[in-house]
Amino acid sequence: MDAYELERRITALETRNAVDDVHRSNVGNRLAAIEEALRWLVRLIIGGLVLAGLTYAVQGGFMV
């Protein structure tokens, strides 16, 4: 193996590592955005259930 081939292989590895670092960073950002969206979705669902329960109670749903 000559010096040129070693240099080429090292350059290819460095490039691959740089691409992997950027990919990991992008995946982390996307996961954070998905978590935030799911957090708001859960808040909306729980809020809707609470409001439905309050509406039921205010309309006399618990009277027997």
Side-chain angles (χ1 to χ4, degrees):
M1 210 180 283
D2 61 348
Y4 174 75
E5 187 176 344
L6 286 175
E7 183 69 29
R8 185 183 57 79
R9 289 179 65 187
I10 290 172
T11 302
L13 284 172
E14 289 173 345
T15 302
R16 189 177 319 149
N17 284 341
V19 168
D20 288 344
D21 288 341
V22 170
H23 180 68
R24 272 189 229 99
S25 174
N26 287 340
V27 168
N29 292 338
R30 288 178 181 175
L31 284 175
I34 290 170
E35 288 172 352
E36 186 66 25
L38 285 175
R39 184 176 299 125
W40 275 106
L41 183 62
V42 168
R43 288 176 184 168
L44 286 172
I45 290 171
I46 291 173
L49 290 173
V50 168
L51 282 176
L54 285 174
T55 302
Y56 181 74
V58 167
Q59 291 180 350
F62 292 123
M63 291 186 179
V64 177

